[in-house]
Amino acid sequence: MMAAPAKAPERSATTAAPQLTIGKALNHALRAAMEADPKVLIMGEDVGKLGGVFRITDGLQKDFGEHRVLDTPLAESGIIGTAIGLAVRGFRPVCEIQFDGFVFPGFDQIVSQLAKLHFRSQGKVKVPIVVRIPFGGGIGAVEHHSESPESLFSHTAGLRLVSCSNPVDAYWMLQQAIRCDDPVLFFEPKKLYHTGSLKETVDPTASPDPLFASRVLRSGTAATLVTYGPSVRVCLDAAIAAAEEGTSLEVIDLRTLSPLDLEPVFESVRKTGRLIAVSEAPSESSLTSEIAARVQQECFYSLEAPVLRVTGFDTPYPPTKLEEYYLPDLDRVLHTVDRALTW
Amino acid sequence: MSSPEQWTHPQPGDSSAATAAKPTPEQVIAGLRATSEGGADLVQLLTPEGERVDSPEFDRYVTDIDGARLRSLFRDMTLVRRFDREANALQRQGQLGIWVPLLGQEAAQIGAGRALRPMDMAFPSYREHGVAWCRNVSPQDLLGIFRCSDHSGWDPVAARFHPYTIVIGNQVLNAAGYAMGQRFDGHVGDDDGEATICFFGDGATSQGDVHEGFVWAAVYDAPLVFFCQNNQWAISEPTERQSRLPLYQRAQGYGFPGIRVDGNDVLACLAVTRWALDECRTGNGPMLIEAFTYRMDAHTTTDDPTRYRLSDELEAWKLKDPIERVRAYLSRNGLADNDFFEEIAAEADNFAAEIRDFCVNMPDPPPDRIFSEVYAEPSPVLEAQRAEYLSYLDGFVGAGER
Ligand SMILES: Cc1ncc(C[n+]2csc(CCOP(=O)(O)OP(=O)(O)O)c2C)c(N)n1
Ligand SMILES: [Mg+2]
């Protein structure tokens, strides 16, 4: 069962809605969630005094104390495994994994316990845990700091996966995920955390869209781009560039990666007849393959071209001097749009 | 301050179970920090002031270290530190994506590295630039990792120095397996035996992989020296976030000896590591060494330690500088004069200039590197992906520069 929608936290009428980056919006969301529910805990490496390596938990330990913001021992299996126990005991842990590539010591606990406890206990045990994972490339980092492991988890039933691409979603989706009674893996586009140009006004009194729903960000007629997380910006930029050359592209932000909400995508493809799925993750056995499979099944007679994909390659993430080649960019997206249009 | 031992073995009925079994936070911190109070617990041969202290157990492992050899250790540490500072500066100037400083850990790494024999194997984490130096992996070969142009710039098999491992703890199990192999191959059991050394940090000791590494190495009597550089910090977390007990004492629970050495004392690190490797090569492994040291710089160039630790702590550790104590010992005992120190300083400057020159001229890897060496055997599917992408790139003007 989905939890009730987020209740607007009380604010004094004089506080104007702030302009926030994605990183700050996540920080505000955590604060709001901790204020709203004393059972919400934050757990992770360096999340206390340091505020996390990306400062997403900045100031929270100072204000909520060491018992609610836990600088844990350095062990991801421990973070997830103990969070599960805490959840069984009635807490709502929000775990921070420092970087995408470091989730794997916790993989067993996520796949074997977190995902399955509700099913195994015939619904008697709920594990309302959020695992926040900064993901994706483009930050010029060393190995294991730029990966997109979402498909490894979307293949696991029992987990919900979401990804935000803008500050307003970051603010609401994280709070909604914390209120959700299912485990939610929350993928954060780390390269956009502190991008000033993406700042948005976040109104804590607004009412958010549902968490597990895709959203059409830009409507168009010639082809549809479906994507999520960091690639949303790439696709929006591609749509703007295409528009200048007279090609109208529709852009859909998936937001929920598992379970997928593909109805808006089907609807879009029935209109445009062409779909390009864009993601930084390797293509083999991925979310984009899943989307392609379902769209060809649901929209077979509407398709004017096969579903095409722009993704990372089927290789390990390369040394980051090469990441601009590896990551889907404007040129590759537009090139693929051309292929779809001239199929 | 009472020894941490007092609470690790509570007697039934001593007092209420809760108070007998649990140390106070102060006891934990005192136990973790205790060095000189630990007496025999901390092996030290050279004090911070540069005075040689006798060690009945360990002196015999460094009888060959005469003036010339000690000068050579001084040179190792000085050059490695100079490399570290140069790389740090190169990062600041945008020539490296990130740098992971070893400042303060020179003695631990040079001591351990120089204890290795050519046939021994070493598994580093990501800060072991000093060990790399001892394995004849050139500093230049390390730079690609931090310039983000490759993941490993040396031949790990030839150098007997495994690729750097960034995922905390992973390499510990890999090292255990390698050491098991040394044993399975019959290369353990006498003075000519082989051994393996594995480096990891204080934070890493919490990882499951490290605990499993302890278990495996013990069960298979693997010739493995676990070399934990306790530099007091795992990014922003002090050691008490990882343990109640001094780290070297954990070994006992796994059934092998653990020892704490002054990690800023190159002579003690050399002696203790030689001892531990000898035990391993003759068949008495594994062993755990905790080198008690200090990360004098930030965790990496992206870190800001002012957010979580006081500068007083750094100032106190500066008095225990690993290089300065050797300098003091050499001077005081007439084993080196000013000319020597000036010569080394000049060599270090030249070395730094060479490194800088090399770094700024490093070529970027070609895009098809993305697709190469993914598999040992050819993958036609990946080949097709490579070909398609390269032909796409060729469609751009100026693609010839690739
Ligand atoms: C599995 C994993 N989790 C998290 C990280 C991020 N991380 C890099 S270094 C580090 C701290 C390591 O501390 P320690 O083991 O004491 O080694 P030191 O850096 O002090 O040498 C962390 C948390 C990582 N590299 N791998
Ligand atoms: Mg450390």
Side-chain angles (χ1 to χ4, degrees):
Chain A
M1 251 266 312
M2 251 298 291
K7 184 173 69 192
E10 287 171 40
R11 298 267 161 167
S12 73
T14 51
T15 328
Q19 283 267 319
L20 303 176
T21 56
I22 291 178
K24 273 274 180 252
L26 293 167
N27 177 266
H28 283 227
L30 289 169
R31 180 175 290 277
M34 293 188 81
E35 280 168 356
D37 182 351
K39 289 293 189 185
V40 173
L41 302 178
I42 291 176
M43 309 171 62
E45 294 154 11
D46 307 290
V47 296
K49 266 193 193 155
L50 186 63
V53 294
F54 292 109
R55 308 293 186 263
I56 305 303
T57 57
D58 191 22
L60 298 177
Q61 190 183 64
K62 189 168 125 284
D63 294 345
F64 292 95
E66 291 185 10
H67 296 291
R68 293 196 62 198
V69 180
L70 282 65
D71 262 337
T72 66
L74 205 178
E76 288 74 10
S77 181
I79 293 170
I80 308 292
T82 58
I84 291 170
L86 282 158
V88 172
R89 178 70 197 180
F91 289 87
R92 301 184 91 86
V94 182
C95 303
E96 175 172 302
I97 297 296
Q98 205 161 79
F99 283 88
D100 33 61
F102 306 142
V103 70
F104 301 113
F107 196 66
D108 173 39
Q109 286 286 349
I110 293 175
V111 171
S112 306
Q113 301 305 328
L114 189 59
K116 299 186 174 75
L117 257 176
H118 192 260
F119 184 72
R120 291 175 53 222
S121 67
Q122 303 187 28
K124 301 285 192 299
V125 177
K126 292 189 177 64
V127 272
I129 291 174
V130 174
V131 183
R132 297 182 34 244
I133 306 177
F135 83 126
I139 62 162
V142 290
E143 261 185 300
H144 313 291
H145 291 71
S146 309
E147 301 185 1
S148 298
E150 54 275 15
S151 305
L152 296 172
F153 298 100
S154 65
H155 198 65
T156 302
L159 299 173
R160 293 176 183 269
L161 273 63
V162 300
S163 182
C164 59
S165 66
N166 60 71
V168 170
D169 271 356
Y171 181 75
W172 289 115
M173 288 172 72
L174 184 52
Q175 291 181 72
Q176 290 168 312
I178 293 170
R179 283 162 191 266
C180 177
D181 274 345
D182 284 320
V184 179
L185 305 196
F186 197 93
F187 288 90
E188 301 172 359
K190 71 166 89 79
K191 120 177 127 184
L192 306 179
Y193 270 150
H194 307 301
T195 309
S197 60
L198 294 184
K199 270 191 191 173
E200 285 178 339
T201 303
V202 175
D203 176 4
T205 61
S207 45
D209 285 349
L211 176 58
F212 300 108
S214 303
R215 185 190 290 143
V216 179
L217 290 183
R218 181 185 171 104
S219 62
T221 51
T224 305
L225 305 177
V226 62
T227 186
Y228 55 94
S231 302
V232 169
R233 304 311 314 172
V234 177
C235 289
L236 285 172
D237 289 346
I240 292 165
E244 280 165 13
E245 296 185 354
T247 306
S248 160
L249 300 180
E250 184 143 311
V251 179
I252 299 179
D253 182 355
L254 281 175
R255 299 172 79 252
T256 171
L257 312 184
S258 182
L260 282 163
D261 173 32
L262 290 184
E263 238 2 277
V265 179
F266 299 151
E267 212 172 292
S268 176
V269 172
R270 285 183 195 119
K271 175 176 68 173
T272 64
R274 294 176 170 87
L275 180 68
I276 294 110
V278 183
S279 158
E280 292 186 11
S283 61
E284 193 165 328
S285 308
S286 67
L287 279 169
T288 55
S289 8
E290 179 65 23
I291 292 166
R294 292 214 219 158
V295 166
Q296 64 87 16
Q297 193 174 322
E298 291 297 322
C299 310
F300 189 68
Y301 292 108
S302 310
L303 282 169
E304 304 286 345
V307 177
L308 298 179
R309 298 188 279 161
V310 185
T311 66
F313 301 110
D314 291 319
T315 71
Y317 198 85
T320 51
K321 280 273 185 200
L322 293 170
E323 68 185 336
E324 61 178 301
Y325 293 100
Y326 181 90
L327 294 171
D329 63 1
L330 191 94
D331 287 332
R332 272 170 74 198
V333 171
L334 292 177
H335 174 80
T336 310
V337 168
D338 284 346
R339 279 179 64 205
L341 292 175
T342 55
W343 198 269
Chain B
M1 188 70 229
S2 59
S3 153
E5 284 295 311
Q6 281 178 2
W7 54 263
T8 57
H9 306 293
Q11 295 302 311
D14 268 359
S15 57
S16 92
T19 53
K22 197 170 130 231
T24 64
E26 291 72 25
Q27 275 178 314
V28 170
I29 291 171
L32 292 171
R33 301 271 182 279
T35 52
S36 46
E37 296 103 291
D41 279 354
L42 183 87
V43 179
Q44 186 182 67
L45 300 184
L46 214 47
T47 68
E49 295 71 35
E51 281 171 30
R52 182 73 164 81
V53 281
D54 292 334
S55 162
E57 291 117 324
F58 290 101
D59 280 348
R60 76 189 84 158
Y61 290 94
V62 286
T63 48
D64 61 322
I65 306 299
D66 54 9
R69 293 236 163 105
L70 199 55
R71 285 196 297 278
S72 172
L73 292 170
F74 177 87
R75 174 179 172 271
D76 283 340
M77 292 196 290
T78 307
L79 293 187
V80 162
R81 177 173 290 187
R82 192 68 176 83
F83 164 58
D84 181 68
R85 295 299 83 195
E86 196 63 24
N88 212 68
L90 283 162
Q91 193 282 335
R92 296 286 179 234
Q93 293 152 15
Q95 292 296 333
L96 297 178
I98 190 171
W99 181 246
V100 183
L102 68 32
L103 191 71
Q105 299 178 219
E106 296 86 353
Q109 296 191 15
I110 296 299
R114 287 297 178 213
L116 292 166
R117 294 195 195 156
M119 293 309 285
D120 293 336
M121 179 66 181
F123 285 76
S125 56
Y126 45 75
R127 204 186 290 283
E128 275 67 68
H129 321 315
V131 185
W133 171 258
C134 298
R135 295 265 87 187
N136 297 320
V137 169
S138 79
Q140 283 85 340
D141 286 345
L142 297 173
L143 289 176
I145 300 173
F146 301 100
R147 200 172 157 91
C148 302
S149 56
D150 225 321
H151 293 327
S152 166
W154 58 94
D155 178 344
V157 179
R160 297 192 166 246
F161 187 66
H162 196 68
Y164 273 9
T165 299
I166 292 174
V167 183
I168 301 293
N170 277 179
Q171 78 279 12
V172 177
L173 276 168
N174 307 151
Y178 189 93
M180 285 159 63
Q182 288 174 317
R183 191 174 185 98
F184 295 168
D185 281 342
H187 289 195
V188 176
D190 56 31
D191 286 348
D192 294 329
E194 289 179 26
T196 296
I197 191 166
C198 182
F199 295 86
F200 52 95
D202 43 284
T205 62
S206 293
Q207 280 288 11
D209 275 13
V210 176
H211 290 268
E212 292 177 26
F214 289 164
V215 169
W216 251 254
V219 164
Y220 290 96
D221 304 326
L224 177 58
V225 175
F226 295 101
F227 195 97
C228 176
Q229 287 171 86
N230 175 0
N231 62 8
Q232 315 298 325
W233 293 92
I235 309 186
S236 73
E237 298 195 14
T239 329
E240 59 266 26
R241 302 303 324 137
Q242 321 290 344
S243 185
R244 273 187 185 181
L245 193 71
L247 298 173
Y248 72 99
Q249 291 182 16
R250 284 197 182 161
Q252 197 189 355
Y254 293 92
F256 49 88
I259 190 166
R260 180 182 271 181
V261 61
D262 181 343
N264 286 13
D265 173 354
V266 71
L267 206 56
C269 289
L270 179 67
V272 166
T273 312
R274 278 179 172 177
W275 163 71
L277 287 166
D278 279 358
E279 291 291 327
C280 285
R281 69 179 88 255
T282 52
N284 290 329
M287 312 287 274
L288 169 65
I289 298 173
E290 176 190 358
F292 201 78
T293 180
Y294 192 71
R295 195 194 79 209
M296 292 177 81
D297 201 342
H299 170 68
T300 67
T301 43
T302 62
D303 179 37
D304 173 10
T306 61
R307 289 179 70 100
Y308 54 82
R309 71 185 191 186
L310 298 170
S311 57
D312 289 7
E313 188 182 272
L314 173 62
E315 293 309 315
W317 277 91
K318 278 186 184 166
L319 302 175
K320 303 183 196 175
D321 188 278
I323 301 184
E324 289 314 309
R325 70 178 74 182
V326 179
R327 182 196 303 274
Y329 178 82
L330 287 172
S331 316
R332 183 168 318 116
N333 293 285
L335 297 170
D337 54 14
N338 233 3
D339 286 353
F340 168 76
F341 294 117
E342 274 171 22
E343 225 171 81
I344 298 288
E347 186 185 0
D349 285 344
N350 289 337
F351 178 51
E354 273 170 35
I355 283 170
R356 164 168 298 271
D357 194 50
F358 179 89
C359 183
V360 301
N361 290 308
M362 276 176 82
D364 286 350
D368 72 334
R369 166 68 182 98
I370 295 172
F371 304 91
S372 56
E373 320 297 352
V374 178
Y375 299 100
E377 298 185 14
S379 156
V381 177
L382 195 55
E383 278 312 311
Q385 211 172 75
R386 180 213 299 254
E388 187 188 339
Y389 182 59
L390 294 184
S391 93
Y392 160 80
L393 281 185
D394 280 339
F396 286 89
V397 203
E401 288 155 23
R402 210 183 78 223

